[in-house]
Amino acid sequence: MTSNTFDNSTAYGKSRSRRLIERWLEPTGITLNGNKPWDLQIHNSDFYSRVVRQGSLGLGESYMDHWWSCERIDQFIERVLLANLGERAHTRREKMFYQLQTSLTNLQSRTRAFMVGEQHYDFGNDLFEAMLDSTMCYSCGYWKEATTLHEAQVAKLDLAARKLQLEPGMRVLDIGCGWGSFAEHAARHYGVHVTGITISREQAELAGKRCEGLDVDILLEDYRDLEGRFDRVVSIGMFEHVGQKNYQTYFDTVERLLTTDGLFVLHTIGSNNSTIDADPFINKYIFPNGVLPSIAQIITPTENRMVMEDWQNFGADYDRTLMAWLENIEAAWPGLPYDERTQRMFHYYLASCAGAFRARDLQLWQVVFSKRRPGRYDAPR
């Protein structure tokens, strides 16, 4: 059936799948083919059975296929999650397969580490330049006093820099440097030498160009292969790709590379629980092999190794950041060389994630660690 085939299930009587979905949606205030911004408009009657069979993956893929539409996907997802329907995203079969896969395989091993770079971050610099602001930060902005996306991203970079207590001449390691946002900011405004690493060739190339003339080295390298000593270490929006089987190795690596009186700032999306799972749609189309850590999963590998000096949560700011990215990419899309299905993929990804942060289903943490350095640490806000 084509994308402009409209729902005809009423003519044949409601299907069992439709009745099931309507029952799920009862506590949410969401109506099928209703007139509210968060209501779903169904264009293909096969939508119901597809979602029942495939959960979140079927929901996202059927949107990409134009089987349904919604004026405000972010509000739809927010209502679904506030009604505790997030568990419906995972079918029993998908749960069993993922648990078996994660138990038998290290999904974030050295040989698999570059997969997310190749699939997502190498998608095309033109797309991300259109979506992001001029800092090219692809992580949550800090909106405490900001009124624009650019102000929020600069504030986030400077917040991390101030938490690191940077001083001219320091050697700084940026694990997962992206397009060089923090490396450029720290080198330009704090006079430090930055070594940035990424697993994306597209990111490495653009980061190198952005940091030309600054005391910055950009390397295409896995964090586990690093050598040297650094006064400060920062990691912004990369820990989500490390994976639970590698958390100990990750923190061991940071501790090995950090000087005795050094500081480490970890900026990561966080999960409210320690369950090892992943959203099927995000895992397939956006961030393959990504895993969101819980508080316990971050702290456990640092016990008797590092001191947690500060923990800040500004996850609510990710909602505003994602909606700004969505506005940017929608405005720029007519000039980008991608098809409508890709556009709908990014729209669903950004809007659904915004709804998840708005529902407080996801968090954003900046955590400061030290190696038992003496004295009091007061984190800026």
Side-chain angles (χ1 to χ4, degrees), residues 139 155-166 172-176 182 230-240 250-251 254-255 258 262-268 298 306-312 314 364-371 373 377-381:
S139 55
K156 181 267 302 296
L157 295 173
D158 207 62
L159 180 66
R162 289 183 290 124
K163 286 179 178 179
L164 288 169
Q165 300 179 352
L166 297 182
V172 180
L173 172 63
D174 184 356
I175 302 177
F182 183 83
F230 298 89
D231 303 296
R232 301 290 188 265
V233 177
V234 65
S235 186
I236 298 176
M238 177 270 179
F239 194 70
E240 300 89 335
Y250 179 90
F251 282 105
V254 170
E255 185 192 28
L258 193 62
L263 290 171
F264 168 45
V265 168
L266 176 67
H267 174 116
T268 182
I298 290 175
M306 303 179 78
V307 175
M308 191 274 288
E309 301 281 5
D310 181 68
W311 196 298
Q312 182 181 10
F314 52 97
L364 188 287
W365 300 316
Q366 270 195 3
V367 192
V368 182
F369 292 95
S370 75
K371 292 175 66 173
R373 70 202 305 256
Y377 178 88
D378 290 309
R381 292 290 189 267

Side-chain angles (χ1 to χ4, degrees), residues 48-253:
Y48 309 110
S49 59
R50 187 174 182 179
V51 171
V52 170
R53 290 195 320 270
Q54 300 177 339
S56 171
L57 182 60
L59 182 67
E61 287 187 333
S62 61
Y63 179 77
M64 290 167 62
D65 292 337
H66 217 298
W67 285 20
W68 63 277
S69 58
C70 179
E71 183 181 343
R72 292 293 301 271
I73 292 176
D74 55 307
Q75 294 182 7
F76 162 68
I77 295 295
E78 177 191 12
R79 285 173 169 267
V80 165
L81 293 176
L82 287 175
N84 297 315
L85 293 179
E87 196 63 22
R88 302 288 185 190
H90 305 271
T91 64
R92 184 175 301 176
R93 181 179 180 182
E94 180 268 327
K95 285 181 185 178
M96 291 176 61
F97 176 76
Y98 189 80
Q99 290 172 359
L100 180 64
Q101 190 180 30
T102 54
S103 64
L104 297 178
T105 308
N106 184 347
L107 296 179
Q108 300 82 18
S109 65
R110 277 184 172 86
T111 57
R112 300 172 63 94
F114 286 75
M115 288 178 62
V116 67
E118 294 167 355
Q119 177 170 323
H120 188 70
Y121 296 112
D122 289 349
F123 202 94
N125 285 337
D126 56 348
L127 186 148
F128 290 108
E129 286 176 314
M131 187 175 86
L132 309 176
D133 74 300
S134 59
T135 66
M136 291 297 288
C137 281
Y138 193 15
S139 55
C140 182
Y142 190 50
W143 291 85
K144 181 180 179 181
E145 297 178 355
T147 58
T148 67
L149 176 63
H150 181 70
E151 290 175 353
Q153 294 294 15
V154 171
K156 181 267 302 296
L157 295 173
D158 207 62
L159 180 66
R162 289 183 290 124
K163 286 179 178 179
L164 288 169
Q165 300 179 352
L166 297 182
E167 297 178 4
M170 282 184 171
R171 290 176 51 81
V172 180
L173 172 63
D174 184 356
I175 302 177
C177 66
W179 290 279
S181 307
F182 183 83
E184 180 186 16
H185 183 86
R188 187 180 303 279
H189 297 289
Y190 289 88
V192 297
H193 171 80
V194 184
T195 298
I197 64 166
T198 176
I199 42 79
S200 164
R201 295 185 186 280
E202 292 274 344
Q203 286 188 334
E205 181 180 353
L206 184 55
K209 292 178 180 177
R210 286 165 50 87
C211 295
E212 282 182 2
L214 298 173
D215 195 5
V216 173
D217 295 321
I218 302 294
L219 307 176
L220 188 67
E221 193 166 346
D222 184 86
Y223 69 93
R224 285 163 283 209
D225 299 324
L226 285 170
E227 298 293 339
R229 297 281 281 177
F230 298 89
D231 303 296
R232 301 290 188 265
V233 177
V234 65
S235 186
I236 298 176
M238 177 270 179
F239 194 70
E240 300 89 335
H241 305 301
V242 170
Q244 76 283 359
K245 289 192 174 183
N246 304 305
Y247 291 158
Q248 190 65 62
T249 299
Y250 179 90
F251 282 105
D252 287 348
T253 301

Side-chain angles (χ1 to χ4, degrees), residues 284-311:
K284 180 175 180 178
Y285 288 97
I286 309 299
F287 300 120
N289 307 323
V291 178
L292 301 183
S294 68
I295 291 175
Q297 289 167 337
I298 290 175
I299 288 299
T300 299
T302 70
E303 290 182 356
N304 297 317
R305 307 294 294 274
M306 303 179 78
V307 175
M308 191 274 288
E309 301 281 5
D310 181 68
W311 196 298

